[in-house]
Amino acid sequence: MSALTLRAAVTAFSPLAERIGADIGYGTAIVGVFGMLPTAMFAVAGLITPLLVRRVGLERTVLVAMLLAGFGSLVRVFSGGTGELLTFSGVALLGMGIGNVVIPPLVKRYFSDRLAVISSLYIVMVQLSTVIPAFIAVPVAEAHGWRISMGVWALVGFAAAVPWLVVLRDRRGRDKVDTTAVPAEPTVAVGKAWRSPVAWGMAGMFGMTSLTTYAIFAWLPMILADAGASAGFGGSMVALFALIGLIPALGAPTVVSRMRNPFPVVVGCMVLFVTAFVGLLVAPMHLTLLWIVLLGLGPSTFPMALTLINLRTRTPQGSAALSGFTQGVGYAVACIGPLLFGMLHTWTGGWVAPFGLLVIALGVLLLGAWQACKPRMLEDTW
């Protein structure tokens, strides 16, 4: 239930951005700001969550995350102006960003003997929280208005808080982190992550996957429109791109957990990415479905990275530190992906340079994965 909240505030808004702008009065520039807000807030959450976990424990942190996601999603639909909508969208996204970081160590704490299965489950829920709001946003808005269309997802956040209240009652204070497992100062675990090649490798792997994925989400409709496709076709291809992500979400955690060093899988993902890029550049309206399927399988490195957070740490505390560092740095870098992609297209008038940027990102991803996939533990390298 928690994982099902983690993207709803993003994809419930995007299809309605123009409609909402016409209602409360903002232009296309603000749409760009909204486009960068998710990765920015996820980056902030990645940096502050390990400290929050150290102070109040994993369970209280995820409870706070779900309440923030529900509260922000609810209040923003009553906004009468752009400032309020941005502010409370930021609150909702901060809650979701904290959830992004804290769920992997919770999986490690409660299901250390079933990491692959539970990782697949929650990553699939994340994918569904990306796809479902986007699919139903416009029909619900046409029937009941955009405020109902977006506000209904607040209920999911509040509902996801309820099981954690039960868990906290059951634990009776045992949700605090084990202070014997980590240094006493809350900043030390984060600081040591910064000095680990495992952490930097994970950040590179996660960050470049996110940068590439968000750039594709933002610009795929325009790439196809320039090739002669209709707006409806472009939108359906974005939906297909998101849906294909369910396949690696189901399979990648199991594959990674069974391999001592899963780097060859990363190399295979890079081949899929590059093949799709070439296809979209050379023949975007021929074999389009094939290019989108390959493009959707390329980001298998996303569920791989989330699974490796637990496979490359010994304790929930190490997992929290690695998750926070990986997602904090990764999402901070991913923020600039759609912006740079668009700027390169504007400057050059074509798509070769923007795709060149993504190829460079894939090179950094490979270097990061080389470090992240090595069979060693974060705690042994920091």
Side-chain angles (χ1 to χ4, degrees):
M1 290 179 69
S2 298
L4 196 58
T5 71
L6 297 185
R7 296 293 183 274
V10 182
T11 56
F13 171 82
S14 298
L16 304 175
E18 187 175 347
R19 184 190 301 251
I20 297 169
D23 186 17
I24 68 175
Y26 60 75
T28 55
I30 296 296
V31 175
V33 174
F34 275 107
M36 295 184 67
L37 189 62
T39 47
M41 296 310 297
F42 290 170
V44 171
L47 297 176
I48 68 171
T49 302
L51 304 181
L52 187 60
V53 169
R54 186 72 174 95
R55 283 188 173 276
V56 303
L58 288 167
E59 289 80 6
R60 287 193 178 95
T61 300
V62 76
L63 174 61
V64 168
M66 296 302 102
L67 292 175
L68 284 174
F71 175 76
S73 297
L74 179 63
V75 176
R76 73 174 181 169
V77 303
F78 297 103
S79 301
T82 305
E84 295 170 70
L85 185 63
L86 271 171
T87 299
F88 289 106
S89 290
V91 171
L93 291 165
L94 179 64
M96 293 175 191
I98 294 171
N100 284 336
V101 175
V102 81
I103 288 179
L106 281 164
V107 171
K108 190 171 187 70
R109 165 171 282 182
Y110 287 96
F111 304 102
S112 59
D113 58 335
R114 287 168 284 173
L115 287 179
V117 173
I118 304 301
S119 294
S120 292
L121 175 63
Y122 92 78
I123 295 170
V124 166
M125 291 299 105
V126 172
Q127 290 295 126
L128 290 176
S129 77
T130 304
V131 174
I132 296 173
F135 267 122
I136 71 171
V138 173
V140 175
E142 289 176 346
H144 304 288
W146 67 265
R147 297 181 191 273
I148 296 294
S149 181
M150 290 210 308
V152 69
W153 294 101
L155 301 177
V156 180
F158 290 130
V162 174
W164 293 112
L165 291 170
V166 177
V167 170
L168 281 167
R169 184 189 66 179
D170 180 64
R171 288 183 65 85
R172 294 191 180 92
R174 291 181 291 117
D175 58 303
K176 295 288 188 180
V177 295
D178 180 6
T179 55
T180 64
V182 293
E185 293 297 323
T187 56
V188 172
V190 180
K192 287 195 172 184
W194 281 79
R195 297 199 294 270
S196 168
V198 174
W200 279 107
M202 289 289 300
M205 182 178 176
F206 185 91
M208 292 303 103
T209 301
S210 298
L211 183 151
T212 303
T213 302
Y214 277 93
I216 294 298
F217 267 124
W219 291 100
L220 182 59
M222 187 172 291
I223 293 169
L224 295 174
D226 278 3
S230 67
F233 182 77
S236 65
M237 290 301 98
V238 172
L240 177 62
F241 174 63
L243 279 172
I244 293 298
L246 288 170
I247 298 174
L250 284 166
T254 300
V255 172
V256 170
S257 66
R258 292 180 178 178
M259 298 180 69
R260 187 169 180 269
N261 186 335
F263 184 72
V265 179
V266 178
V267 174
C269 291
M270 298 306 96
V271 172
L272 295 174
F273 263 133
V274 172
T275 304
F277 292 168
V278 172
L280 288 172
L281 275 173
V282 175
M285 297 308 293
H286 299 281
L287 300 177
T288 308
L289 287 176
L290 175 61
W291 309 141
I292 301 304
V293 168
L294 297 179
L295 198 62
L297 292 174
S300 300
T301 47
F302 176 77
M304 286 179 67
L306 291 178
T307 306
L308 283 169
I309 287 172
N310 282 329
L311 294 177
R312 294 296 178 263
T313 52
R314 297 188 186 281
T315 64
Q317 293 75 40
S319 177
L322 183 57
S323 183
F325 179 80
T326 295
Q327 298 193 49
V329 175
Y331 279 124
V333 174
C335 268
I336 64 172
L339 179 63
L340 281 179
F341 194 94
M343 290 172 64
L344 287 171
H345 174 62
T346 301
W347 291 337
T348 65
W351 298 107
V352 174
F355 275 112
L357 169 70
L358 298 189
V359 171
I360 293 172
L362 296 184
V364 177
L365 195 163
L366 273 176
L367 291 175
W370 176 257
Q371 294 289 340
C373 291
K374 290 180 180 179
R376 54 185 175 172
M377 297 294 178
L378 172 77
E379 291 89 345
D380 298 334
T381 65
W382 68 2

